[in-house]
Amino acid sequence: MSTTFMRSPRLLFTSESVTEGHPDKVCDQISDAILDLCLSRDRMSRVACESSVKSSPDWDWVAVYGEITPLPAEREIRAVVRQVLTDIGYTRHELGASAPEAQIEVRLTGQSADIDLGVSQRVVQAKERKVGAGDQGMMIGFACNETPEFMPLSIAYAHDLCRRLAEVRKSGLLPYLRPDGKSQVTVEYCEGKPVRVDTVVVSTQHDDGISQAQISADIRAHVIDVIIDPKHLDEGTKYHINPTGNFVIGGPLGDSGLTGRKIIVDSYGGVARHGGGAFSGKDPTKVDRSGAYAARYVAKNVVAAGLADRFEVQLAYAIGVADPVSISFETFGTEHVDEEVIEGLIRRHFNLTPAGIIETLDLRRPIYRKTAAYGHFGRRGGDDFPWERTDLAATLAAGAGLPAPAAVPSH
């Protein structure tokens, strides 16, 4: 967002999220579960895995395709797909897809030798392995001090609402809910600060025969009122719960799904720019993913250190080249030290080569399926989301001559 946003006396901003049963998120989870399978067998696996899903009244279809080295057995791929569908809750055709009955088509090859040449260069003189970026592109990291997770309030609430929909469904509290669903939250800002929630939208798939009145009352009581802090609600807050009035047909039966189609849900809900590359199904040599994680790590530590209240950083890479071709950032007028100081601290304390990112964040591990629903950023979970650490905040604050930051909760 621009500095105009920070000065605006009143501005409404909206972010959305989707549940794990949304068709696109089904595909993200399949692709990342396959990535985890590969990394559990070989930490050096090269994975670029895409998935598609679609159901009709007569069949359920899943396609898995892309480039993986070394290739797993097709039976292992199919087992992973069925497990993901089962875990989400797609166990019967009428729910939107059937894990046991789905037709699974696998079309995988090894990674291109030309890409491998750029990614894994032998630096003979130094007798070491140097990892170049797996593709060109630019990646964005963002953080702000609106929430304890250093995320924008609108996307934080949207994710929490969708996560809560899954919780009340799986726990049996609202057993008539089905896996597909969406949320949308509009926050009112005054001079750059969130002051209230203006509108909440929740759409949830449900069993046939459940009345709109029951759904509305249950979602308000067991989802919205549990998630959104009462201090952000007032008599002017508007609620739209299943506004079409019926949401029985959902999941792949209602819409096709594809890996990488929810990139704004995955990142910052539209508050920050997006580099354009999707995350899921890609091993950490792909800077679309690891570069975005590193950029979030930088941004979160900068804000946690008190160098700025709102911070966006862009990293850019060239395929086969290890060092970023550019690093730029925006403080939106919220910096507390000179921007040259911030730039110097970033360059001094963060290794932003692909190899440096992978080592710092320990990314060659099967940690990725958990990222594939409810956003990649602002997540709790300790070692499963290492880019959420604020372990450099105190160092950055000291380097800028600022007081040590207050202890930040572990996420």
Side-chain angles (χ1 to χ4, degrees):
M1 292 186 183
S2 67
T3 52
T4 302
F5 167 83
M6 300 302 297
R7 297 191 300 266
S8 176
R10 181 178 184 271
L11 182 144
L12 298 178
F13 193 87
T14 303
S15 296
E16 73 159 349
S17 184
V18 298
T19 67
E20 64 200 59
H22 185 283
D24 293 331
K25 278 288 136 199
V26 171
C27 294
D28 287 342
Q29 290 168 88
I30 289 171
S31 294
D32 272 340
I34 292 168
L35 171 61
D36 282 352
L37 169 70
C38 294
L39 291 174
S40 69
R41 303 285 180 79
D42 184 345
R43 288 170 59 88
M44 304 303 290
S45 290
R46 298 288 169 73
V47 181
C49 181
E50 309 282 345
S51 305
S52 299
V53 295
K54 179 56 188 166
S55 296
S56 82
D58 302 314
W59 44 258
D60 301 292
W61 176 80
V62 181
V64 176
Y65 44 95
E67 301 81 43
I68 298 178
T69 301
L71 281 168
E74 288 193 11
R75 59 177 175 76
E76 295 177 306
I77 297 293
R78 292 190 174 91
V80 166
V81 171
R82 296 192 198 282
Q83 188 62 58
V84 170
L85 292 174
T86 299
D87 292 346
I88 292 169
Y90 286 126
T91 55
R92 304 194 316 274
H93 183 75
E94 62 269 22
L95 299 177
S98 171
E101 299 175 2
Q103 173 191 345
I104 302 169
E105 189 171 349
V106 180
R107 294 289 183 270
L108 293 168
T109 65
Q111 184 184 56
S112 160
D114 289 345
I115 294 176
D116 179 71
L117 182 65
V119 174
S120 301
Q121 304 174 60
R122 287 285 184 183
V123 184
V124 177
Q125 298 89 337
K127 296 183 180 179
E128 64 180 10
R129 189 171 179 83
K130 184 178 182 182
V131 180
D135 202 352
Q136 69 177 44
M138 60 280 190
M139 297 81 217
I140 301 294
F142 179 82
C144 61
N145 59 8
E146 293 179 17
T147 66
E149 298 82 12
F150 296 92
M151 289 289 284
L153 186 63
S154 55
I155 189 63
Y157 272 151
H159 285 323
D160 285 347
L161 288 169
C162 282
R163 189 180 291 108
R164 180 64 180 170
L165 283 175
E167 289 173 357
V168 298
R169 170 175 61 90
K170 291 181 175 181
S171 70
L173 181 61
L174 299 180
Y176 62 81
L177 296 188
R178 292 180 176 183
D180 201 354
K182 289 184 174 184
S183 70
Q184 186 171 283
V185 178
T186 301
V187 172
E188 180 178 342
Y189 286 80
C190 181
E191 296 180 348
K193 302 294 184 182
V195 294
R196 59 183 291 272
V197 170
D198 182 79
T199 307
V200 180
V201 182
V202 176
S203 296
T204 179
Q205 187 189 9
H206 57 87
D207 289 347
D208 200 6
I210 309 299
S211 71
Q212 172 71 8
Q214 180 180 352
I215 295 170
S216 183
D218 284 345
I219 295 303
R220 179 70 186 272
H222 298 296
V223 178
I224 296 173
D225 289 348
V226 170
I227 294 301
I228 299 186
D229 193 320
K231 72 180 182 183
H232 290 135
L233 302 173
D234 57 33
E235 66 279 358
T237 301
K238 298 175 283 292
Y239 303 90
H240 301 288
I241 299 171
N242 277 25
T244 64
N246 207 45
F247 189 0
V248 174
I249 301 171
L253 188 58
D255 292 289
S256 61
L258 183 65
T259 298
R261 263 203 311 215
K262 286 291 176 287
I263 59 176
I264 301 303
V265 171
D266 285 342
S267 54
Y268 305 101
V271 172
R273 299 172 180 90
H274 196 289
F279 305 148
S280 288
K282 298 176 181 177
D283 76 77
T285 67
K286 315 294 192 294
V287 285
D288 281 343
R289 179 168 225 155
S290 55
Y293 290 168
R296 165 64 176 175
Y297 182 52
V298 170
K300 187 172 182 180
N301 277 274
V302 165
V303 175
L307 306 186
D309 297 335
R310 180 178 291 262
F311 190 83
E312 182 185 87
V313 61
Q314 183 202 68
L315 308 177
Y317 294 87
I319 188 169
V321 179
D323 293 313
V325 299
S326 69
I327 303 172
S328 62
F329 62 85
E330 172 66 73
T331 63
F332 308 96
T334 69
E335 71 276 6
H336 298 292
V337 297
D338 192 280
E339 291 189 351
E340 290 185 0
V341 172
I342 298 175
E343 180 179 2
L345 289 168
I346 291 172
R347 293 186 180 277
R348 188 175 311 130
H349 294 290
F350 295 92
N351 184 342
L352 297 174
T353 65
I357 294 167
I358 290 168
E359 181 179 359
T360 299
L361 301 180
D362 193 12
L363 296 180
R364 292 194 187 277
R365 298 179 290 141
I367 58 174
Y368 295 103
R369 183 181 165 189
K370 293 179 181 178
T371 69
Y374 314 118
H376 292 244
F377 308 121
R379 301 291 294 273
R380 300 172 178 86
D383 289 343
D384 288 342
F385 302 92
W387 47 91
E388 295 298 314
R389 298 193 312 244
T390 54
D391 52 336
L392 288 178
T395 299
L396 297 179
L402 297 177
V408 177
S410 177
H411 296 301

